Amino acid sequence: MAPLLLSLTFLSFLLLPPPSFAASSCASETFSKNRLYTTCNDLPHLSSSLHFSYDNSTGTLSLAFVSAPPSSSGWVAWALNPTGSGMIGSQALIAFKQSNGAMVVKTFNVSGYEAIQESPIAYKTTDLSAEFGSDGKIRMFAKVVVGQGASSLNQVWQVGGSVTNGVPDKHDFKSDNLASVGKLDLVKGVSTTDSSAATSSDNKRNVHGILNGVSWGILIPLGAIIARYVKVFEVADPAWFYMHVSCQLTGYAIGVAGWATGINLGKESKGITYTTHRSIGIAIFALATLQIFALFLRPNKDHKFRLFWNVYHHSVGYSVIVLGAINIFRGLTILQTGDKWRTAYIAVICVLVGIAIVLEALTWLIVLKRRRSVQKTYSNGHASVQQPFGV
């Protein structure tokens, strides 16, 4: 009962929405060289803001993008995407500190998820410059010719933690990083984001984590505990077997659903690959499927191959449990869930291990008591048989 309650607690933690942090108001920003802009927007992710003025007569967008990189050696980027709403195809302005300490703004045509290279972009740009403030924020300035009569543009913004040889390194893949896309309405002077898409992506990741946490992390270990300890009690035979099979089949079914959800997430997140997490997940699925075959290939207790089946069944089963726990922790790291979710799962593991230790001691006491009882009966029987021969 305790593992079930803790699993429900774990579920409730995972279902909680991630904390949000409000950015400071863009209206309080001031810029050097008396730069002024008609409009400013607090962007909803990465604590960033965009300040801009649009001159329809020349088709020029004057802008200041403000954001704080994860480190002083990091970078910030703002981009327009003329062909889509995501990163691929975006025409990016990226600001960072060079090795000599001077700030620079470079242009990048982001054509794929591989390492990017400095290149011309589809928009004419002028007055590119950047400043690194004492508050840890980079303020990037630019003028971009977007064309006369422009009304709505696809914008993308991003931050990263490091630069190598003058080229920005990959950014994090946290929820805020993945959701930093939207529309820039030049007529209304507002920035909007597709919050429903970001929420949908977050929900899918949470569902993936919940399904796998409950299946491989709770139900499968619980089924193993039932098989190892409950069967020792004669009153539980053969109920323990059906409890064990039910628990494992339910865990497998939920785990397969979680695995399929993960595969779907991978397809939707092209270029974002968590190789180790994915590889372990595939291994868990393959081993668990072997366990399902073990149910149908189980020989009788007195069969000559029963010993080999036991070795196969136990080794594969314990491998699934260990790999499942490892991959759940890796998944929690990827989801950036914070300490409370990790602590919740550690609590579940501690309860399961505690139950196993108590039952291990109890079952050994029962087994040893039975052995003494059998030995005493055998000794008495042996003496009664030998007595006539001694007479």
Side-chain angles (χ1 to χ4, degrees):
M1 191 64 181
L4 179 59
L5 291 175
L6 271 173
S7 67
L8 293 175
T9 302
F10 183 60
L11 283 174
S12 66
F13 276 127
L14 285 176
L15 287 170
L16 289 174
S20 59
F21 303 93
S24 58
S25 173
C26 63
S28 62
E29 288 283 354
T30 57
F31 302 107
S32 60
K33 299 182 179 180
N34 295 319
R35 294 184 178 95
L36 297 174
Y37 302 92
T38 58
T39 305
C40 77
N41 291 163
D42 287 314
L43 300 176
H45 302 286
L46 300 175
S47 298
S48 305
S49 62
L50 179 69
H51 309 249
F52 62 94
S53 300
Y54 174 59
D55 185 351
N56 187 50
S57 63
T58 61
T60 301
L61 179 68
S62 301
L63 65 93
F65 174 72
V66 182
S67 191
S71 68
S72 59
S73 58
W75 52 269
V76 303
W78 182 85
L80 292 175
N81 192 332
T83 60
S85 59
M87 185 179 82
I88 299 301
S90 62
Q91 309 297 294
L93 309 175
I94 303 182
F96 55 87
K97 187 182 295 185
Q98 300 181 101
S99 57
N100 61 5
M103 294 297 298
V104 66
V105 178
K106 294 184 177 182
T107 59
F108 294 82
N109 178 6
V110 185
S111 58
Y113 288 100
E114 63 277 1
I116 60 175
Q117 295 295 329
E118 182 182 4
S119 60
I121 62 175
Y123 300 97
K124 180 182 177 182
T125 59
T126 57
D127 297 346
L128 299 179
S129 64
E131 301 169 353
F132 201 109
S134 59
D135 54 1
K137 294 180 179 180
I138 291 179
R139 291 162 176 82
M140 178 171 62
F141 308 99
K143 290 183 178 180
V144 182
V145 178
V146 296
Q148 293 178 326
S151 58
S152 180
L153 304 170
N154 297 319
Q155 67 171 339
V156 184
W157 64 98
Q158 195 57 258
V159 298
S162 61
V163 177
T164 302
N165 297 325
V167 178
D169 295 321
K170 285 185 177 181
H171 57 78
D172 289 334
F173 294 99
K174 301 178 182 179
S175 296
D176 269 3
N177 297 93
L178 299 177
S180 56
V181 297
K183 292 279 188 181
L184 178 62
D185 192 322
L186 299 179
V187 176
K188 297 180 180 179
V190 296
S191 297
T192 59
T193 59
D194 187 358
S195 58
S196 61
T199 301
S200 175
S201 179
D202 287 340
N203 288 340
K204 288 179 181 178
R205 286 192 290 269
N206 287 338
V207 168
H208 171 68
I210 291 169
L211 292 176
N212 286 286
V214 171
S215 58
W216 313 121
I218 298 176
L219 289 177
I220 297 298
L222 184 60
I225 289 175
I226 292 172
R228 178 169 176 80
Y229 301 115
V230 178
K231 69 178 180 180
V232 175
F233 301 93
E234 295 178 350
V235 70
D237 191 24
W240 72 267
F241 175 75
Y242 297 108
M243 292 168 60
H244 169 66
V245 171
S246 298
C247 200
Q248 302 305 76
L249 287 178
T250 303
Y252 177 76
I254 296 175
V256 169
W259 181 76
T261 305
I263 295 297
N264 186 54
L265 279 171
K267 291 180 179 179
E268 292 181 355
S269 306
K270 295 180 180 180
I272 304 173
T273 304
Y274 302 102
T275 304
T276 303
H277 182 67
R278 181 185 62 181
S279 299
I280 295 176
I282 293 173
I284 292 171
F285 172 74
L287 291 172
T289 302
L290 283 177
Q291 286 292 68
I292 297 300
F293 286 116
L295 174 64
F296 301 103
L297 299 174
R298 185 170 65 103
N300 294 328
K301 292 182 179 180
D302 56 352
H303 196 281
K304 62 180 180 179
F305 292 127
R306 180 62 181 235
L307 175 62
F308 300 103
W309 182 88
N310 285 337
V311 173
Y312 150 73
H313 185 58
H314 293 160
S315 59
V316 172
Y318 288 126
S319 296
V320 169
I321 292 173
V322 173
L323 290 175
I326 292 173
N327 221 28
I328 287 170
F329 280 114
R330 294 194 68 88
L332 290 173
T333 300
I334 292 170
L335 286 173
Q336 302 289 337
T337 56
D339 292 337
K340 62 180 180 180
W341 288 277
R342 187 179 298 270
T343 301
Y345 183 60
I346 291 175
V348 171
I349 292 178
C350 289
V351 169
L352 291 173
V353 171
I355 291 174
I357 292 174
V358 171
L359 290 176
E360 183 77 23
L362 182 60
T363 51
W364 269 108
L365 290 175
I366 294 174
V367 170
L368 292 175
K369 183 178 180 181
R370 287 178 184 171
R371 286 181 179 177
R372 286 195 297 267
S373 176
V374 170
Q375 289 173 356
K376 183 177 180 181
T377 301
Y378 174 77
S379 177
N380 291 338
H382 182 73
S384 62
V385 172
Q386 294 294 328
Q387 186 175 0
F389 291 93
V391 174

